[in-house]
Amino acid sequence: MSDAPGNAAGDGVAAAPSPDVERPGKPTLKTIAGLTGLAVATVSRALHDAPDLRPETKALVRKVAEELGYVPNRAGLRLRTGRTQVISLVMSAEHDMMNNTARLISSLAGALRGTAFHLNVSYFFPGEDPMKPIRHIVEMGLADAVIFNQTQPEDQRVAWLLGRHFPFATHGRTNWAERHAWADFDNAAFGEIAVRRLARAGRRRIGVIAPPLDQNYARDTVAGVARAGQETGVESQVLAGVSSDSASALVREAVARALPLGFDGLIACSTNSAMAAVAAIESQGMRLGREIDLVAKEAIPFLTLFRHEIMVVQEDVGRVGAVLARAVIRAIREPEAPPLQDLEVPRDDFDNKDTTP
């Protein structure tokens, strides 16, 4: 490829930009081209993350664009290409912002940094149809792809998007997982690990603070708990009327009601529910590691700082965000390519429970 400045096909980095290039009040592609010594067409393709351009060329163009405060004309872009360069993350407003959700947003934003795409976050509220924001985004042309979580086995959002061939990826699997992009944590394996850890600690009756049971990962978790219970002879029961997404006060009340029934182990599927369970345990005069043990899943290392006796299984939501970002970009650019899919499988090769009194 020619490295000559001003060559529309060129991918070379200019040796030195002209010092007398005009800088208008509102920077344009031409402004960036003048400062980098590249052709306007090359600048445009660099900002669109063209795969055939060299990384150093794209890095230079983005650096200059950022320094100038360049903002692309998205209306014009949409007219020319039909693209928005926006990826929309759609979530429930009641989800656990302290842990998985916050980490997911951060990792997605980080993974999209340096690409041509920008992340928008949309919400649906309790009681609202989760299809509402998906339909609005697609029908109004507000994004090139969507990402969402809290998937159900036969998720209507997945069926609707597949029918319209609109790019998307899910945090979690569905019954149609082979047909779409997803990233997931092996919650069945988590359930098995949790029961085995509690069994090794001598626990025989376990209460499970499960995710909402209509969601796919809840069913996987409960299935894993049941399998490991059969192997170890440990009895398990999902606590009724509460989930790992419930308000902390509700979880605390549910655990307090369950403790007199003889539970000597608990499994919590979120950071908030684990902390609420600890509050209920201690309100009954019980101590973790003595009368009862707790296994919890978390995305941000925190719980063992809160109570070192908690047995923790880590979920790498940073990995999820990176996979989902790559997955939707592939779905946008290569619609005929196989969907990108990733399953994180936790390992039970250690027990991080500190038994110090």
Side-chain angles (χ1 to χ4, degrees):
M1 266 183 199
S2 169
D3 288 348
N7 187 332
D11 181 20
V13 177
S18 171
D20 56 354
V21 172
E22 247 187 83
R23 299 195 186 200
K26 183 177 180 181
T28 65
L29 294 177
K30 188 174 180 180
T31 313
I32 300 171
L35 289 169
T36 58
L38 297 168
V40 171
T42 303
V43 169
S44 176
R45 294 174 64 244
L47 291 172
H48 287 79
D49 201 23
D52 59 322
L53 293 184
R54 290 192 294 223
E56 58 267 29
T57 299
K58 291 188 277 189
L60 172 65
V61 170
R62 288 175 186 143
K63 179 176 182 294
V64 172
E66 184 175 348
E67 290 174 351
L68 290 174
Y70 171 75
V71 178
N73 183 334
R74 297 202 180 278
L77 174 70
R78 184 173 169 184
L79 285 173
R80 291 192 307 273
T81 68
R83 297 277 178 84
T84 64
Q85 291 186 337
V86 171
I87 291 170
S88 187
L89 174 64
V90 181
M91 320 196 75
S92 167
E94 65 180 349
H95 205 52
D96 178 11
M97 289 299 294
M98 176 181 177
N99 199 6
N100 286 45
T101 302
R103 185 72 183 95
L104 179 60
I105 293 172
S106 174
S107 62
L108 273 170
L112 292 174
R113 185 178 183 183
T115 74
F117 295 94
H118 300 263
L119 181 68
N120 283 350
V121 180
S122 300
Y123 293 97
F124 60 92
F125 293 89
E128 285 187 344
D129 181 0
M131 269 297 305
K132 180 180 177 181
I134 299 289
R135 189 180 290 110
H136 179 71
I137 289 166
V138 174
E139 292 179 348
M140 298 299 293
L142 301 179
D144 296 331
V146 293
I147 298 170
F148 54 93
N149 62 358
Q150 297 182 324
T151 55
Q152 298 180 348
E154 295 192 355
D155 198 294
Q156 62 176 329
R157 297 168 295 181
V158 170
W160 192 83
L161 289 165
L162 284 172
R164 281 152 185 79
H165 305 286
F166 190 85
F168 73 97
T170 61
H171 182 193
R173 287 165 288 174
T174 69
N175 287 352
W176 308 299
E178 74 283 353
R179 297 178 56 193
H180 66 85
W182 52 263
D184 202 2
F185 178 80
D186 193 336
N187 289 284
F190 162 68
E192 293 176 8
I193 289 170
V195 170
R196 292 188 190 118
R197 287 190 180 182
L198 290 169
R200 289 199 296 269
R203 304 310 177 185
R204 310 308 300 167
R205 188 162 190 236
I206 297 171
V208 182
I209 310 167
L213 294 177
D214 64 337
Q215 294 177 24
N216 207 65
Y217 81 113
R219 300 184 184 194
D220 288 345
T221 302
V222 172
V225 167
R227 279 197 298 271
Q230 290 178 346
E231 295 170 6
T232 60
V234 170
E235 177 188 351
S236 65
Q237 179 180 329
V238 175
L239 300 189
V242 71
S243 80
S244 57
D245 283 354
S246 297
S248 296
L250 296 177
V251 175
R252 178 174 177 170
E253 291 169 5
V255 173
R257 288 194 303 269
L259 291 176
L261 303 178
F263 290 101
D264 58 4
L266 289 172
I267 298 173
C269 295
S270 70
T271 299
N272 281 353
S273 62
M275 294 175 66
V278 170
I281 289 166
E282 295 178 350
S283 73
Q284 302 294 310
M286 302 171 70
R287 284 188 59 187
L288 283 174
R290 295 293 182 87
E291 298 91 350
I292 192 167
D293 277 298
L294 168 66
V295 178
K297 181 179 70 169
E298 67 174 357
I300 301 173
F302 171 79
L303 286 173
T304 53
L305 300 176
F306 170 64
R307 293 291 186 276
H308 67 85
E309 299 90 351
I310 298 174
M311 305 178 192
V312 171
V313 176
Q314 291 287 339
E315 177 179 4
D316 188 355
V317 179
R319 164 177 166 167
V320 168
V323 170
L324 292 176
R326 294 199 309 272
V328 290
I329 290 174
R330 177 192 285 187
I332 292 166
R333 293 178 172 166
E334 305 175 61
E336 302 304 319
L340 183 61
Q341 300 165 345
D342 180 77
L343 180 65
E344 179 191 355
V345 182
R347 297 175 59 185
D348 191 20
D349 57 357
F350 68 94
D351 188 344
N352 68 343
K353 175 175 178 290
D354 187 341
T355 56
T356 304

